[in-house]
Amino acid sequence: MGMPPAPPCILGGPVTFAFEPHPSPVPANEREARLVDPGFGRVFTDHMAILHWSEAEGWHDGRITQRVPLTMDPASSVLHYAQEIFEGLKAYRLEDGGLALFRPEANARRLQESARRLAMPELPEDLFLESVEQLVLAERDWMPTLEGGSLYLRPFMIASEAFLGVKPSAEYLYMVLASSVGAYWKGGARAVSLWVSHDYTRAAPGGTGAAKCGGNYATSLIAQQEAIRRGCDQVVFLDAAERRWIEELGGMNIFFVFDDGSIQTPPLTGTILPGITRDSILRLARDEGLVVREEPYAIEQWRADAASGRLVESFACGTAAVVTPIGRVAGPDYEFTIGSGATGQTTARFLDRLSAIQRGRIADPYGWLRRIG
Ligand SMILES: *Cc1c(COP(=O)(O)O)cnc(C)c1O
């Protein structure tokens, strides 16, 4: 406010993201007020990370700077052809007071895979890690202290060349936002209801289902709207070819738990997003000695198994909510309840174990936590 910007200084670590402190950050009392009940994705911190890419210069001009509206040419290709990818991960406050990211290397690699699919430049893993770590260090005061709170990080990349021809952009912007979030489901992990979409599909073979791109979400919204209209919380998609095999929710993977103790999840055949939470649960389950199948599961089998009692639990999983129990499933002419309709034992155990590792309450034998600061 009338003050010249402070000269850039460096937060520590490799000199890639220059730190330009916000000239007028949100005052402490106002920040505390926003952190009382932050909800999800509404409370943003003072700063953001930004990095540019051009054909001539490659990755350059990295900064941690104040979060301000972007000025962009209305012809920027992302606004017309949706060349955009993103990631989602969380920084947690550990039991011992430290800060840690959960498996950020996996997010870095997935962003590279998404970039390849969308014909975008790959961001080197060390730049990804540095961008999120430096931003979290700058924003540590925005970490909520409430139970279940965390700092949600949203790295994303957009095509920024001003050109209406259809081709991969020659310029890109990579950015990271940080958002203070509470527990995803207010009042604890309530079992959700799912609407099975028989009309709309999310991803087809050869399409972008395995890439984390905004376009996948844009096409899922109408199905999610229908789910709400039908009195359900979330939509679950079937495969595009046979309209039979259960794939995933709009933004979460899905698991099935059987009465013999085995668990099953759809295989990664290219139409399903390879969730890091999904991968972590598979690891925990295998190390518990459970029988684990990554195999297709048909909607009619789900109905039959729920009715016979062979299927005892189902849950969805993803970074935002970690593990979400599924209580009821509905389609155009059917409806069924999973188990008792409430959170099952196996679902609760995975939620507890994963949350405990993420928050440093139990040992992390897999090296999933990356401490920062
Ligand atoms: C991000 C995402 C997931 C969950 O991935 P995590 O790495 O576990 O957060 C699942 N499905 C879709 C479609 C997603 O975009």
Side-chain angles (χ1 to χ4, degrees), residues 318-339:
T319 294
V322 188
V323 169
T324 301
I326 298 164
R328 185 172 65 88
V329 181
D333 55 0
Y334 59 88
E335 179 161 355
F336 56 96
T337 302
I338 311 285

Side-chain angles (χ1 to χ4, degrees), residues 8-290:
C9 63
I10 304 302
L11 278 171
V15 187
T16 318
F17 288 86
F19 184 42
E20 301 172 347
H22 197 302
S24 52
V26 174
N29 58 341
E30 168 63 21
R31 187 182 63 231
E32 295 306 325
R34 291 186 201 174
L35 292 183
V36 171
D37 182 18
F40 185 86
R42 290 185 195 283
V43 174
F44 294 100
T45 66
D46 293 309
H47 300 87
M48 63 184 185
I50 183 162
L51 180 66
H52 298 254
W53 188 92
S54 66
E55 280 176 355
E57 293 181 84
W59 296 108
H60 65 280
D61 194 16
R63 284 170 296 138
I64 305 288
T65 189
Q66 56 182 306
R67 199 182 77 87
V68 286
L70 296 176
T71 302
M72 59 194 301
D73 195 298
S76 295
S77 49
V78 64
L79 301 177
H80 302 271
Y81 308 126
Q83 205 187 2
E84 186 268 357
I85 54 175
F86 67 97
E87 271 302 323
L89 70 164
K90 281 176 172 175
Y92 296 93
R93 166 90 57 207
L94 302 179
E95 198 81 334
D96 65 9
L99 295 175
L101 294 162
F102 183 72
R103 304 190 66 183
E105 305 84 359
N107 295 93
R109 285 193 292 271
R110 191 169 64 187
L111 188 71
Q112 292 178 335
E113 279 153 27
S114 298
R116 276 200 289 280
R117 180 61 183 84
L118 277 281
M120 299 168 92
E122 288 176 40
L123 179 71
E125 186 173 323
D126 58 338
L127 280 180
F128 178 94
L129 293 175
E130 200 194 328
S131 67
V132 290
E133 288 182 12
Q134 298 294 326
L135 185 61
V136 172
L137 283 177
E139 304 291 44
R140 52 194 318 151
D141 291 343
W142 284 91
M143 175 70 78
T145 47
L146 73 155
E147 176 79 25
S150 56
L151 206 54
Y152 181 81
L153 300 160
R154 168 52 59 86
F156 65 106
M157 199 198 300
I158 59 175
S160 52
E161 185 186 4
F163 180 58
L164 292 183
V166 180
K167 67 153 186 82
S169 174
E171 289 167 28
Y172 296 87
L173 274 182
Y174 164 76
M175 305 175 72
V176 188
L177 304 178
S179 174
S180 311
V181 301
Y184 197 81
W185 308 106
K186 266 192 176 173
R190 176 181 71 86
V192 298
S193 53
L194 299 186
W195 170 256
V196 184
S197 184
H198 288 258
D199 295 331
Y200 302 109
T201 58
R202 179 188 166 274
T208 56
K212 211 165 173 71
C213 62
N216 289 343
Y217 278 72
T219 59
S220 76
L221 296 178
I222 190 172
Q224 174 62 26
Q225 242 176 1
E226 182 179 19
I228 302 285
R229 206 170 55 239
R230 302 282 192 159
C232 295
D233 298 302
Q234 294 276 323
V235 62
V236 59
F237 290 101
L238 302 176
D239 77 292
E242 294 181 61
R243 304 287 178 104
R244 227 189 122 195
W245 307 104
I246 298 155
E247 297 223 305
E248 62 172 317
L249 280 58
M252 281 189 273
N253 296 115
I254 192 165
F255 275 86
F256 308 97
V257 183
F258 297 91
D259 62 352
D260 62 359
S262 64
I263 69 168
Q264 185 163 338
T265 191
L268 301 177
T269 54
T271 54
I272 291 176
L273 200 287
I276 295 161
T277 318
R278 173 190 181 278
D279 184 73
S280 306
I281 289 169
L282 286 174
R283 185 70 195 269
L284 290 177
R286 289 192 170 111
D287 285 4
E288 274 185 12
L290 299 188

